[in-house]
Amino acid sequence: MITVALLGNPNTGKTSLFNHLTGSYEYVGNWSGVTVEKKVGLLKSKAGHLIDLPGLYSLNPLSRDEAVASHFLLHETFSSTINIVDASQLMRNLHLTIQLLEFGKPLFIGLNMIDVAEGRGMHIDTERLAKLLHVPVIPIVARTGRGCNELAQHIEADITAPASPFFLHYGDTIERAIAQIEQSIDVNTTISKRWLAIQFLEGNPLVRTYMESLIPTDVLKQILATTEAHIRTHEKMASVQLYIHHIRLKFIMDIIDQTVTDTDKNKTPLTHTIDRIVTHKLLGMPIFLLVMFFIFVFTFDWLGSPLSDMLDDFFSGPLTDGLRGALTAIGASSFIQALILDGIVAGVGGVLVFVPQILLLFFFISLIEDSGYMARVAMVMDRVMEMIGLNGKAFIPMIIGFGCNVPGVMAARTIEQPKERLLTILLTPLMSCSARLSVYALFVGAFFAKNQALVVLSLYVIGIVVALLLAKLFSSTILKNEASFFVIELPPYRLPEPRTLWRSTWDKGKGFVKKAGTFILAGTVVIWILTYAGPNGLDVPIDESFMALFGGAIAPLFAPLGFDTWQAASALITGFLAKEVVVAAMNIFYFVPDGGTLQGILVDFYTPLQAYSFMVFLLLYIPCLATVAVIRKETGSTKWTFFSIAYALVIAYVLTLLIYQIGSWLGY
Amino acid sequence: MCVDNRSLIFVYTFFTRNDKKNIIMIENDYHLPLGEEAVMFLTGLQIGEKAKITDVSSVHKDVQRRLLDLGIYEGVEICYTCTLPFGGPYILECAGQCVGIRRKEAATILVERL
């Protein structure tokens, strides 16, 4: 069984290639930072595993994402590497290639995007390139899969001739330093000593730490200092890192000279034309807001809700009747019947009903990612983010957070600065996720039937505004920042491939459905039992159940907020498990008679203002259990995890209080 | 007024390094004739103009490194594409690739108009 590592610059189609080679789907996005974890897939031919590492420009890491790849190379075993290279950006991409060649393990180059290169008038002699680099170079178009089979065959046949180990001469000064280092390592290492030496001189912190276990720190420091001094005086370069970069660049340009022929330099790509509109001085932000509005209107008013209603009718009608018949036929006890029909079907079904809206939202997020528009969004939003102490890249985890807070928090890994990353992680849960969406859908359907999209949009906007304000607050007080910086690559626009898009959507949506099958199912059963049982025994009227008692005990806390019923209080408690459970809980607490709907019933218990303040509280009050777990993992700190819970509760209470009190005073 | 060019640069850089003051300071397109060529800050370019990078050393070191990775460093030719309003980011094009950086950083990059 072979293990192959896949490495390449961001935005080179790495994950598309991964999908074609493994036949199993992984999360794809056209914006660097989406692949945040190493992903392992089984090769189609079952010959072994392929590991997809985060995109990086150089093995010398600048962000945590990039450090993953370096760590992998240093500490894990694998048989060979595939380096995916963007043919239209050779000068940039080959830097990583050189470093990988120096590493010494068998390497295969997948030369991707040759169609883009041709479109720009560039023709590349792949055979010549292969000869110059001493490794196989296979032209591919990862988006369509062209050439991928050939690449796969190469990896599996492992037909690299024992390569003349790649050797780039870095000039006498550096070579002397390398020799010194190599000699100082008196043990046998599995990793190429030359590679270690070069990476160390380049300033790779992971390699430095690794080296310190092999060579005394003083020796290392001394070698580096002498080399640096020499480079400054004799080569007139500011640092060893820059000098090494310069040498590599000369080599790369020589290669390009020999392999690339430029035929037509003056085509204006379509991308630039689109960008002129989308990142236009005045139109940029309004266009983005318009796009978001359109997404919401489509998801709720036009398509999502009608589909949702159809599902609802199915669950409460034919499905329930059918199950009831089946259960009676097998003679199930009334307890079991009640558990299944009133508990599980009502509860879990109540959540599944919102799958159409969720999938639509995920579809649009995937569309924005795959097409490359996400990067422009980060650019357009950067000015606003800069004012609150973050940068445009922090906007992306938040956008993802609209789908689900969990991957949103994880996406913050691409933010290079630790304080900014922490801030983004703390604020992403304020983004109204798809789970909360199912609760909103329930309430707006009941109370704001004529203005569904608008009301839901208002909630999303509240989440964003609160996040922005808190960001400003936190970054000027608790998290006093070093200045944030922002450099972003704008990949060319692509028309997303429908199959990739569908898989992208389904993969995100799958999480939602899976949650339904596990957390929510378990939670629903527990909740249902707590409503079924009470101090006086089983099958008690709901007002006398454990749930009612417990909810009733804390309900008074919510009186100033407008919803001091035990049902609301209990539902909020269950919401910690997963926000969708609130819907399931409501379905159970308000027992719905035949022919009625939960929405119909809710109208009798709450006013629109109360419903709205409930939704605002739900938006802000606490991240769900899964999110809290991920926050703990990403920050590595229990203190900040508790902080994220505490500040959320405070903000939720205060804001909801304001909204309800002012609203009632205004006469709503 | 007869002022030495180098002291002008020093004074200018001194002001632009202080983050709070930089927005006002960089509003004007500032020409610093050095010898025969016209060297200026990136922010002085007009939209669509091409220029060669002459000095990125005043930029924040992490930004420098990232720009290096993306192929923007001394000696490279870039084209200034556009900028977003209210002091928003600058979009530069280099070798067919578009990169966005903040105005703050662009204001410390010296270029030579082509």
Side-chain angles (χ1 to χ4, degrees):
Chain A
M1 284 276 268
I2 55 174
T3 314
V4 186
L6 179 56
L7 288 128
N9 281 23
N11 292 313
T12 44
K14 195 158 50 62
T15 313
S16 288
L17 178 60
F18 182 84
N19 293 341
H20 280 290
L21 291 176
T22 56
S24 79
Y25 180 77
E26 292 299 333
Y27 196 98
V28 180
N30 197 17
W31 202 80
S32 45
V34 172
T35 317
V36 289
E37 270 188 334
K38 91 179 188 203
K39 295 192 166 47
V40 184
L42 188 62
L43 287 168
K44 272 186 176 143
S45 62
K46 312 266 177 22
H49 289 110
L50 183 63
I51 302 177
D52 181 13
L53 291 166
L56 70 185
Y57 299 101
S58 152
L59 290 178
N60 188 355
L62 198 58
S63 71
R64 255 182 69 179
D65 241 24
E66 298 180 358
V68 168
S70 261
H71 189 271
F72 176 83
L73 288 176
L74 281 173
H75 299 282
E76 303 207 26
T77 43
F78 54 98
S79 346
S80 55
T81 35
I82 304 177
N83 178 213
I84 184 167
V85 168
D86 181 348
S88 61
Q89 292 288 337
L90 275 179
M91 200 153 76
R92 224 180 54 200
N93 278 242
L94 287 179
H95 280 278
L96 179 64
T97 314
I98 292 177
Q99 294 180 44
L100 290 173
L101 286 166
E102 285 169 348
F103 188 71
K105 275 253 161 71
L107 180 71
F108 302 89
I109 295 181
L111 192 63
N112 195 17
M113 303 189 189
I114 26 173
D115 51 343
V116 177
E118 303 276 342
R120 271 208 210 124
M122 292 192 268
H123 177 75
I124 302 174
D125 183 351
T126 46
E127 277 173 28
R128 192 84 200 277
L129 187 61
K131 244 195 223 116
L132 287 170
L133 296 175
H134 307 292
V135 285
V137 172
I138 297 115
I140 56 175
V141 180
R143 260 181 75 238
T144 56
R146 202 169 105 202
C148 292
N149 281 330
E150 207 194 316
L151 183 59
Q153 278 163 13
H154 264 89
I155 313 168
E156 285 151 26
D158 210 20
I159 44 182
T160 12
S164 41
F166 177 82
F167 190 91
L168 173 61
H169 196 276
Y170 286 97
D172 291 330
T173 324
I174 306 277
E175 291 296 335
R176 247 200 314 263
I178 296 175
Q180 246 189 307
I181 295 175
E182 280 179 326
Q183 278 154 21
S184 309
I185 307 177
D186 49 8
V187 292
N188 276 330
T189 54
T190 41
I191 301 175
S192 151
K193 289 187 186 170
R194 183 179 171 78
W195 180 83
L196 283 172
I198 298 173
Q199 287 290 315
F200 167 72
L201 289 168
E202 255 194 287
N204 187 332
L206 276 98
V207 171
R208 193 199 176 107
T209 320
Y210 186 85
M211 297 281 272
E212 280 170 0
S213 63
L214 299 171
I215 304 180
T217 320
D218 317 324
V219 178
L220 284 172
K221 275 204 187 127
Q222 187 253 326
I223 297 178
L224 189 58
T226 3
T227 321
E228 191 123 314
H230 213 264
I231 294 288
R232 281 222 187 94
T233 43
H234 293 252
E235 310 288 349
K236 305 267 192 282
M237 284 242 146
S239 71
V240 178
Q241 188 185 67
L242 278 175
Y243 181 67
I244 290 180
H245 184 272
H246 175 72
I247 300 282
R248 286 190 181 140
L249 184 63
K250 277 207 307 215
F251 177 73
I252 290 172
M253 294 191 58
D254 187 41
I255 291 189
I256 292 181
D257 259 337
Q258 295 183 55
T259 54
V260 180
T261 34
D262 244 323
T263 49
D264 180 352
K265 279 193 162 193
N266 288 320
K267 297 177 169 188
T268 312
L270 181 62
T271 299
H272 291 335
T273 328
I274 301 179
D275 269 339
R276 228 175 270 148
I277 309 170
V278 154
T279 52
H280 186 268
K281 271 173 131 44
L282 299 170
L283 298 179
M285 182 98 73
I287 290 182
F288 171 62
L289 291 174
L290 207 68
V291 168
M292 296 265 37
F293 181 69
F294 170 76
I295 291 176
F296 284 116
V297 166
F298 200 86
T299 307
F300 296 95
D301 298 344
W302 293 349
L303 192 59
S305 299
L307 284 179
S308 193
D309 292 337
M310 288 200 293
L311 255 185
D312 197 12
D313 291 336
F314 172 70
F315 282 144
S316 51
L319 185 66
T320 310
D321 295 335
L323 275 177
R324 182 174 295 132
L327 288 170
T328 331
I330 60 170
S333 73
S334 66
F335 175 75
I336 296 288
Q337 280 205 36
L339 175 64
I340 295 186
L341 295 174
D342 301 333
I344 296 179
V345 171
V348 178
V351 168
L352 286 179
V353 150
F354 298 112
V355 165
Q357 278 118 330
I358 308 294
L359 280 182
L360 269 173
L361 201 64
F362 279 144
F363 171 76
F364 284 115
I365 293 179
S366 304
L367 190 61
I368 293 180
E369 277 177 344
D370 277 9
S371 62
Y373 184 54
M374 267 295 197
R376 278 77 184 176
V377 169
M379 280 230 51
V380 168
M381 295 308 295
D382 181 60
R383 187 65 189 111
V384 176
M385 303 298 279
E386 192 181 353
M387 292 196 282
I388 58 174
L390 288 173
N391 75 39
K393 280 189 187 174
F395 199 66
I396 300 313
M398 295 192 180
I399 290 270
I400 296 180
F402 280 134
C404 177
N405 289 158
V406 175
V409 168
M410 282 167 39
R413 276 192 210 174
T414 58
I415 298 172
E416 285 100 350
Q417 286 168 297
K419 288 219 168 103
E420 254 182 73
R421 196 187 317 130
L422 178 61
L423 193 55
T424 312
I425 290 176
L426 288 178
L427 295 174
T428 302
L430 290 172
M431 298 299 117
S432 192
C433 69
S434 56
R436 293 175 181 93
L437 186 60
S438 50
V439 185
Y440 300 159
L442 178 69
F443 280 88
V444 295
F447 295 94
F448 305 103
K450 295 217 184 71
N451 294 304
Q452 291 191 54
L454 208 59
V455 173
V456 175
L457 185 64
S458 75
L459 289 163
Y460 276 73
V461 169
I462 289 180
I464 296 176
V465 169
V466 172
L468 294 179
L469 290 173
L470 283 180
K472 186 73 183 140
L473 179 68
F474 289 159
S475 61
S476 4
T477 54
I478 318 171
L479 289 176
K480 247 191 134 139
N481 245 338
E482 318 102 17
S484 68
F485 72 88
F486 177 72
V487 181
I488 196 171
E489 191 189 329
L490 298 175
Y493 284 111
R494 333 221 128 122
L495 209 56
E497 211 204 349
R499 211 176 42 164
T500 319
L501 202 57
W502 163 248
R503 277 174 161 174
S504 193
T505 309
W506 176 240
D507 201 55
K508 297 175 177 99
K510 210 168 56 174
F512 178 76
V513 175
K514 239 200 259 181
K515 233 208 281 187
T518 51
F519 269 121
I520 298 175
L521 179 65
T524 309
V525 171
V526 169
I527 294 167
W528 185 83
I529 292 180
L530 284 173
T531 54
Y532 195 71
N536 300 331
L538 296 178
D539 204 3
V540 298
I542 201 147
D543 295 9
E544 295 169 27
S545 64
F546 282 125
M547 183 60 82
L549 289 174
F550 191 56
I554 49 169
L557 283 173
F558 297 117
L561 307 182
F563 44 87
D564 56 343
T565 59
W566 70 263
Q567 291 96 333
S570 304
L572 286 172
I573 297 173
T574 62
F576 175 58
L577 198 64
K579 297 287 163 66
E580 304 96 315
V581 180
V582 170
V583 175
M586 288 288 193
N587 266 291
I588 295 173
F589 299 158
Y590 292 106
F591 178 72
V592 180
D594 288 334
T597 59
L598 177 60
Q599 292 174 329
I601 300 250
L602 282 174
V603 184
D604 296 333
F605 284 91
Y606 299 98
T607 66
L609 179 64
Q610 289 172 331
Y612 192 75
S613 48
F614 182 76
M615 289 196 285
V616 171
F617 192 79
L618 186 91
L619 165 68
L620 302 168
Y621 77 118
I622 195 174
C624 68
L625 184 61
T627 310
V628 171
V630 164
I631 291 177
R632 171 70 183 81
K633 185 157 153 272
E634 292 295 316
T635 55
S637 147
T638 329
K639 168 180 123 182
W640 287 113
T641 315
F642 276 123
F643 179 74
S644 68
I645 299 177
Y647 93 78
L649 285 169
V650 169
I651 290 287
Y653 199 86
V654 169
L655 196 64
T656 316
L657 185 69
L658 283 171
I659 291 182
Y660 185 68
Q661 294 302 334
I662 295 178
S664 342
W665 181 73
L666 287 174
Y668 279 102
Chain B
M1 185 164 77
C2 185
V3 184
D4 183 62
N5 285 334
R6 269 178 233 261
S7 63
L8 264 178
I9 301 171
F10 171 79
V11 164
Y12 199 72
T13 324
F14 177 80
F15 275 100
T16 52
R17 274 188 171 288
N18 183 336
D19 291 333
K20 295 202 187 17
K21 297 195 180 133
N22 67 357
I23 302 293
I24 300 154
M25 288 292 149
I26 340 163
E27 270 327 305
N28 307 313
D29 150 10
Y30 213 93
H31 274 258
L32 300 163
L34 282 173
E36 298 295 320
E37 321 90 28
V39 176
M40 57 199 292
F41 289 104
L42 191 63
T43 40
L45 289 174
Q46 304 295 326
I47 291 192
E49 277 195 309
K50 294 202 167 93
K52 186 167 82 167
I53 309 258
T54 52
D55 188 340
V56 287
S57 52
S58 317
V59 173
H60 186 286
K61 80 167 165 52
D62 286 345
V63 177
Q64 247 188 80
R65 164 69 205 281
R66 218 359 49 100
L67 287 175
L68 186 72
D69 287 335
L70 289 171
I72 297 180
Y73 39 85
E74 285 164 30
V76 161
E77 181 186 309
I78 52 115
C79 173
Y80 165 43
T81 314
C82 77
T83 188
L84 287 156
F86 311 117
Y90 272 59
I91 303 183
L92 307 172
E93 194 226 309
C94 173
Q97 163 77 33
C98 282
V99 175
I101 56 172
R102 284 198 176 148
R103 174 180 278 235
K104 203 163 64 181
E105 320 293 352
T108 57
I109 299 178
L110 284 166
V111 299
E112 182 190 311
R113 203 188 250 143
L114 292 173

